[in-house]
Amino acid sequence: MLVKRTYSARDRQNRPPPPSPSSSLTPVSTPSPQKRKRPLDENSSLCNQTLPTLKRAKFHKTPCALSSVKSTKQKTLTQLHFCIDQNIFRTCSLCNLSYTKGAPDDETLHRAHCARVQRGIEWGREEEREAAKANVVEIERGVKLKDRKEGRIICFPANTTGKIGAKISTLLQTVNLALSAPALTPEAIQASKVYLFLLSDGTSSREKVAGCVIAQRISTAMAIASPSKTLPSDPKSLVTIDASSGLFCHPQPLPTHMGIPRLFVPSNYRRHGIASKVLSAAAETFIHGCPLDPRKGEIAFTQPTGAGNAVMRHWGGDAMRIYEE
C-alpha cells in the first residue's frame, strides 16, 4: 500500500518546534528595536522648528466669513441729535409741500414732486406709440406763446389705460398734491377728458407737459355773486366759497354743461397764456359740434385756489360758475 506524505521532510525541518509547557506560561517576546528618547534639547529645538510653520500656515476663509468681515468694516454709525428748539417739518417755497427733514421717504417724495411741479412731466416716444390706441386727438398745432415758443394741444379720455394712463395717473397725483385736493372719483374720471399743452425744447423728440386741464361733464352749477351786488346785511343768502378772496355764490343751481375740476401749469411755464389757451380749446371741443362760451355761464369750476381764481376771472369774467365736485 502506497502512503502519501502530507508534509515533506523539508517542510518539517523548517517548521519551528512546538512550544514547551514552561514556555506557554511565560510568553516570549521578540526583541524589537526601541526608539531612543531624544534629549530635552532636541525636543525643544523641534518645537521651535515647527512653530514658524504653524504661524506661516494660511487658512482659507469661507465666503460667509469674508462677507461678515466686509460688512463689519463697512458698517458705520450715524450720530443723531435731538434739537427740541427746532422744528423738523419743512415747507418748500417752490412747490409748497410740507415734509419731514431727515426722513428718507419724505425727502425722496419731495424731490420728485418739486421737480414735476417746476418743470412738468415728459411726453415722449413711448406715449406717441400708443396715441392712436388711446384715442389721442391733436386739437391744435403751432400754438404760439408770449415768449414766441410754439406748442400743441392734445385731448384724450381720462380713463385711458396703458403707458398714457400711467402717465396721467402720475400727473393727477402731482396736481392733487400741489392743490391739496382729493383724488377724483372713478365716476368723475369716466366722464372726463384730459387736455394737455405739450411744449418742445427743440433739441430732442421729447416734450414737456406745460399745461393740463381736466374737463368733466356736469349738470348744474352756482353763479358767482358779483362783489358790488353782495349785501353785507344778508350774508346768509349766499354760499361762501372763499371768504379770504371774497368768492361767494348764489345757492340756486343753474344748468351747466362742462366743469373744470383740475387746472395746472408748472411754475416754469406760468404767465405765458398757456392756461387760457388750453381752457379755450376745451370749451370749443368738449362737446362735439357744440362750442361752449364761458362768458354765458356755460362752464363752471370747482373751488379754486387764489391763482386759479385769478385765471378763472380773467378767462371767463363774472359769468363763471362754481360747482361742487
Side-chain angles (χ1 to χ4, degrees):
M1 182 176 180
L2 180 62
V3 178
K4 295 184 178 181
R5 292 181 179 179
T6 58
Y7 301 97
S8 62
R10 192 172 185 176
D11 295 336
R12 187 177 297 177
Q13 293 176 0
N14 296 331
R15 292 178 59 186
S20 62
S22 60
S23 63
S24 61
L25 296 176
T26 58
V28 179
S29 60
T30 58
S32 59
Q34 296 182 355
K35 297 182 179 179
R36 290 192 313 164
K37 294 184 179 181
R38 296 184 179 182
L40 183 61
D41 305 348
E42 298 180 1
N43 292 335
S44 60
S45 63
L46 179 61
C47 296
N48 295 333
Q49 292 177 2
T50 56
L51 284 175
T53 58
L54 294 175
K55 290 183 179 180
R56 289 194 299 268
K58 295 182 179 180
F59 297 94
H60 297 283
K61 297 180 180 180
T62 59
C64 296
L66 291 175
S67 62
S68 63
V69 172
K70 186 176 180 181
S71 62
T72 305
K73 292 181 178 179
Q74 293 181 352
K75 185 177 180 180
T76 57
L77 300 178
T78 303
Q79 180 68 40
L80 300 179
H81 301 274
F82 289 98
C83 298
I84 303 177
D85 57 339
Q86 294 184 3
N87 191 1
I88 61 174
F89 294 100
R90 297 289 185 270
T91 300
C92 180
S93 59
L94 300 176
C95 63
N96 201 29
L97 178 68
S98 298
Y99 63 98
T100 303
K101 185 179 180 180
D105 294 341
D106 279 18
E107 291 188 351
T108 302
L109 174 63
H110 167 250
R111 285 193 295 267
H113 174 74
C114 193
R116 289 193 293 262
V117 168
Q118 294 182 72
R119 299 184 293 271
I121 63 176
E122 292 186 346
W123 184 276
R125 295 179 180 178
E126 297 81 4
E127 290 76 22
E128 286 297 324
R129 293 192 189 101
E130 295 187 1
K133 182 180 178 181
N135 298 323
V136 177
V137 179
E138 188 176 82
I139 303 299
E140 190 176 357
R141 177 179 286 272
V143 182
K144 295 183 179 180
L145 301 178
K146 294 180 180 179
D147 57 354
R148 297 182 181 180
K149 291 183 179 180
E150 294 185 0
R152 62 190 182 107
I153 300 175
I154 62 174
C155 172
F156 52 89
N159 59 349
T160 301
T161 58
K163 292 185 178 180
I164 295 180
K167 183 78 68 175
I168 294 305
S169 178
T170 303
L171 178 60
L172 287 178
Q173 290 178 3
T174 303
V175 174
N176 293 334
L177 193 59
L179 302 178
S180 300
L184 295 175
T185 62
E187 294 78 13
I189 294 177
Q190 187 72 22
S192 301
K193 291 183 180 180
V194 180
Y195 289 85
L196 299 180
F197 188 92
L198 304 180
L199 187 63
S200 176
D201 56 0
T203 60
S204 63
S205 59
R206 305 188 70 86
E207 298 171 297
K208 286 287 187 179
V209 178
C212 173
V213 169
I214 307 296
Q216 177 186 4
R217 189 65 183 264
I218 61 175
S219 56
T220 59
M222 299 177 294
I224 296 177
S226 176
S228 60
K229 298 180 181 180
T230 302
L231 299 178
S233 60
D234 191 15
K236 296 182 181 180
S237 62
L238 300 176
V239 178
T240 303
I241 304 298
D242 189 1
S244 60
S245 60
L247 184 58
F248 301 91
C249 290
H250 297 284
Q252 294 81 10
L254 302 175
T256 311
H257 305 292
M258 187 180 81
I260 306 296
R262 298 292 182 271
L263 169 64
F264 181 74
V265 176
S267 59
N268 289 357
Y269 306 107
R270 293 175 184 174
R271 300 185 181 278
H272 294 289
I274 293 178
S276 298
K277 294 183 181 299
V278 182
L279 287 171
S280 299
E284 293 175 2
T285 62
F286 181 74
I287 299 177
H288 182 69
C290 182
L292 302 176
D293 189 357
R295 299 187 179 274
K296 295 181 179 180
E298 297 176 345
I299 299 175
F301 281 70
T302 56
Q303 180 178 355
T305 59
N309 187 16
V311 172
M312 178 185 66
R313 292 183 179 276
H314 173 74
W315 179 66
D318 294 336
M320 291 302 304
R321 298 178 181 178
I322 301 295
Y323 76 101
E324 184 179 359
E325 187 177 332

